[in-house]
């Protein structure tokens, strides 16, 4: 077929380029997982995109084997299976118990149950060209799900006005990969390869546009309030702080008593600062804040 045929040099070139770019996109989450490794926590990261990507790579390998002579599809998706498996194992190692259980459930359901069912049905119920067509449409459907999976992250970016969980490098590599694989599918006249990458290109542009729009925005918390910025506490937040750490000239130990903020704030502000009327404490003294000293 056209995958490696010298009669289709442009198809081979785009397929090879697609392998390089897709491999780079598989490696793009490395900073994310390095952060997970350093903090020993998955924080707000989700496992669903990696599980779905693993399932999609497994399907494309099966499709390429059935169609035959699609070595370029096999090589990149085999690499994808290995890399996504490593990501999932790392996620399971550092995720909280609920996230581990959820990830294990969708792995068993999707990558074992659904893939096994597709394998069984296509081997028993269809054959020849009909098997290729059936597998092609299944691959299209789940490739679309790979591009739709990050929609939860897009929603989070819009809600929090923060691009922390949507790296620009990953969005860019996915967009470039979609363009190259679309051209590859077009040149080998394989609509099952070309079609899902139209959607991939569209989602990639949306992600990059959101990144550019929110990259300098002030993040907000889940309840809509602005997050901590420049050492300031969010409004209306009840906190417990150690006044000794905020005092410039602590004179004595007040024990384990609870004192009003107004009284302690007055003790904590040095005379030189009071004369200049410059606030030292980053606490709103008008709020009912309890200070433990």
């Amino acid at each position: 077929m056209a995958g490696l045929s010298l009669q289709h040099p442009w198809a081979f070139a785009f397929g090879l380029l697609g392998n390089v770019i897709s491999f780079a996109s598989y490696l793009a989450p490395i900073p994310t997982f390095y952060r997970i490794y350093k903090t020993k926590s998955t924080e707000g990261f989700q496992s669903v995109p990696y599980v779905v990507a693993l399932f999609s790579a497994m399907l494309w390998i099966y499709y390429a084997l059935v169609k035959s002579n699609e070595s370029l599809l096999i090589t990149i998706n085999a690499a994808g299976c290995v890399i996504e498996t490593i990501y999932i194992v790392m996620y399971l190692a550092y995720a909280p118990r609920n996230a581990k259980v959820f990830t294990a459930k969708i792995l068993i359901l999707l990558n074992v149950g659904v893939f096994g069912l597709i394998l069984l049905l296509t081997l028993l119920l269809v054959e020849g060209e009909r098997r290729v067509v059936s597998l092609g449409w299944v691959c299209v459907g789940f490739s679309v799900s790979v591009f739709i999976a990050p929609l939860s992250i897009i929603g989070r970016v819009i809600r929090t006005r923060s691009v922390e969980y949507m790296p620009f490098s990953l969005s860019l590599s996915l967009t470039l990969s979609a363009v190259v694989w679309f051209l590859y599918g077009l040149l080998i006249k394989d609509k099952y390869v070309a079609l899902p990458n139209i959607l991939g290109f569209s989602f990639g542009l949306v992600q990059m546009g959101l990144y550019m729009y929110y990259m300098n925005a002030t993040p907000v918390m889940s309840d809509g309030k602005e997050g901590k910025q420049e050492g300031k506490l969010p409004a209306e937040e009840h906190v417990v702080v150690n006044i000794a750490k905020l005092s410039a000239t602590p004179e004595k130990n007040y024990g384990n008593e609870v004192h009003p903020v107004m009284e302690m704030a007055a003790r904590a502000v040095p005379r030189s600062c009071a004369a200049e009327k410059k606030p030292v404490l980053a606490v709103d003294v008008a709020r009912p804040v309890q200070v433990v000293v």
Side-chain angles (χ1 to χ4, degrees):
M1 296 292 289
L4 289 174
S5 176
L6 295 178
Q7 296 178 359
H8 301 82
W10 282 108
F12 175 76
F14 279 112
L16 192 60
L17 182 60
N19 270 252
V20 174
I21 296 175
S22 295
F23 186 76
S25 69
Y26 279 130
L27 298 181
I30 284 180
T32 295
F33 282 89
Y34 179 73
R35 173 176 171 176
I36 289 174
Y37 170 75
K38 293 289 288 184
T39 61
K40 310 300 181 186
S41 170
T42 55
E43 300 177 353
F45 297 104
Q46 303 293 321
S47 62
V48 174
Y50 307 103
V51 174
V52 175
L54 174 61
F55 179 69
S56 178
M58 292 167 61
L59 275 180
W60 280 111
I61 290 176
Y62 182 35
Y63 170 78
L65 290 173
V66 170
K67 189 178 179 181
S68 73
N69 296 323
E70 286 291 350
S71 301
L72 291 174
L73 287 178
I74 294 175
T75 53
I76 187 56
N77 285 291
C81 284
V82 173
I83 295 171
E84 298 296 342
T85 300
I86 293 173
Y87 290 156
I88 293 169
V89 169
M90 286 189 64
Y91 186 91
L92 289 172
Y94 297 111
R97 184 177 181 277
N98 290 341
K100 288 180 180 179
V101 172
F102 175 74
T103 302
K105 285 181 178 179
I106 59 175
L107 268 173
I108 295 172
L109 176 65
L110 192 63
N111 298 68
V112 178
V114 176
F115 183 78
L117 183 62
I118 292 172
L119 189 67
L120 188 63
L121 291 177
T122 52
L123 288 175
L124 296 179
L125 300 182
V126 291
E127 58 183 17
E129 188 64 26
R130 290 181 58 194
R131 183 180 295 167
V132 174
V133 172
S134 301
L135 274 175
W137 284 114
V138 170
C139 288
V140 168
F142 282 97
S143 292
V144 168
S145 71
V146 171
F147 294 122
I148 292 178
L151 281 179
S152 59
I153 302 299
I154 291 176
R156 182 172 186 157
V157 169
I158 295 173
R159 288 194 307 271
T160 64
R161 299 172 60 85
S162 171
V163 295
E164 180 181 6
Y165 298 106
M166 191 178 69
F168 182 82
S169 59
L170 180 57
S171 300
L172 177 61
S173 61
L174 288 176
T175 304
L176 292 176
S177 177
V179 172
V180 171
W181 283 113
F182 169 75
L183 293 173
Y184 173 78
L186 199 64
L187 289 169
I188 66 172
K189 298 179 180 179
D190 190 331
K191 61 184 176 183
Y192 308 115
V193 175
L195 284 176
N197 286 291
I198 297 175
L199 187 60
F201 172 73
S202 302
F203 275 120
L205 289 181
V206 170
Q207 291 182 35
M208 289 192 294
L210 284 174
Y211 186 94
M212 298 299 292
Y213 185 78
Y214 288 115
M215 61 184 296
N216 295 319
T218 301
V220 296
M221 298 184 299
S222 58
D223 59 358
K225 302 184 183 77
E226 289 189 0
K228 296 182 181 180
Q229 205 176 27
E230 300 296 334
K232 296 182 180 179
L233 296 171
E236 307 276 336
E237 184 179 62
H238 291 255
V239 294
V240 178
V241 294
N242 190 337
I243 202 70
K245 294 181 180 180
L246 297 177
S247 174
T249 56
E251 296 180 356
K252 64 179 181 178
N253 182 8
Y254 293 98
N256 293 324
E257 302 174 5
V258 177
H259 303 274
V261 172
M262 292 291 291
E263 176 187 351
M264 295 308 301
R267 293 178 182 176
V269 179
R271 295 182 179 179
S272 59
C273 293
E276 298 176 5
K277 297 183 179 180
K278 293 182 179 179
V280 172
L281 295 176
V283 182
D284 184 357
V285 294
R287 291 185 289 113
V289 180
Q290 178 176 294
V291 180
V292 178
V293 294

